[in-house]
């Protein structure tokens, strides 16, 4: 409810950047609580705004939010297309790499899932200690992928990865 108010406030102030930020949260929240049509509409508007601003982070975020919705719906081809687009924009984006590893594993392509997981771990190793987002993606997604994968031990993280 408060996020929807933030969107409306941003619109009333003609602040499209703040609207885009609020839409990102709203898209994820509505997808999570089982309102996919609303989430898709928020994702669509967010992508329109991201394309207007042409900022790589937001272009990727708009695709990742829609990718997550596609995963929740079981729309694996849509998820794969969105992930490919996101990775074309930012090849080391942890959110995209983690999501694509999960999508590949769900589709039974273990080699591709392993490749994305390796790229995620590489992105994690390249991040600074002060910004542990890549660690969070690795910690959040790799156990899910390993649960599906036959090669569960391939994703064991060293103790230093647990912050």
């Amino acid at each position: 409810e408060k996020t929807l108010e933030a969107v409306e406030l941003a619109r009333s102030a003609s602040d499209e950047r703040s609207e885009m930020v609020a839409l990102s949260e709203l898209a994820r929240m509505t997808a999570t609580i089982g309102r996919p049509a609303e989430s898709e509409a928020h994702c669509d508007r967010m992508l329109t705004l991201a394309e207007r601003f042409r900022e790589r982070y937001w272009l990727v975020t708009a695709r990742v939010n829609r990718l997550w919705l596609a995963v929740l719906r079981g729309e694996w081809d849509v998820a794969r297309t969105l992930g490919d687009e996101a990775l074309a924009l930012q090849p080391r984006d942890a959110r995209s790499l983690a999501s694509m590893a999960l999508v590949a594993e769900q589709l039974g392509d273990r080699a591709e899932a392993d490749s994305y997981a390796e790229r995620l771990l590489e992105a994690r190793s390249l991040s600074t200690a002060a910004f542990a987002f890549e660690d969070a993606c690795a910690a959040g997604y790799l156990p899910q992928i390993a649960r599906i994968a036959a090669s569960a031990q391939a994703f064991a993280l060293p103790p230093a990865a647990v912050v």
Side-chain angles (χ1 to χ4, degrees):
E1 185 175 309
K2 291 192 186 302
T3 308
L4 188 54
E5 290 174 17
V7 170
E8 293 306 318
L9 182 61
R11 286 179 180 161
S12 69
S14 299
D15 183 351
E16 291 183 330
R17 187 171 306 282
S18 294
E19 179 185 354
M20 183 175 57
V21 173
L23 283 168
S24 181
E25 291 298 319
L26 192 55
R28 288 192 301 269
M29 289 171 39
T30 52
T32 302
I33 63 172
R35 294 178 2 208
E38 287 177 54
S39 179
E40 187 168 9
H42 300 315
C43 287
D44 290 347
R45 172 69 178 153
M46 185 188 172
L47 181 58
T48 298
L49 293 172
E51 288 173 345
R52 184 171 302 149
F53 289 115
R54 304 299 304 160
E55 293 176 5
R56 195 174 302 241
Y57 173 81
W58 289 109
L59 289 165
V60 171
T61 299
R63 285 165 174 81
V64 168
N65 285 346
R66 181 61 180 88
L67 183 157
W68 289 337
L69 177 60
V71 166
L72 290 173
R73 288 176 159 173
E75 297 171 343
W76 305 111
D77 291 334
V78 171
R80 181 173 272 170
T81 298
L82 290 161
D84 288 342
E85 290 174 8
L87 288 170
L89 291 163
Q90 279 187 329
R92 282 187 258 183
D93 181 71
R95 302 163 299 169
S96 302
L97 290 168
S99 297
M100 290 298 283
L102 184 63
V103 168
E105 194 59 53
Q106 284 289 345
L107 293 173
D109 191 339
R110 290 196 177 115
E112 185 176 39
D114 288 351
S115 174
Y116 284 122
E118 288 298 322
R119 288 173 59 191
L120 173 60
L121 292 174
E122 180 183 342
R124 194 190 130 270
S125 72
L126 296 173
S127 67
T128 64
F131 188 72
F133 184 76
E134 288 79 4
D135 283 343
C137 284
Y141 277 84
L142 292 180
Q144 295 174 54
I145 298 162
R147 183 170 180 225
I148 300 165
S151 56
Q153 291 300 318
F155 304 123
L157 295 176
V162 182
V163 180

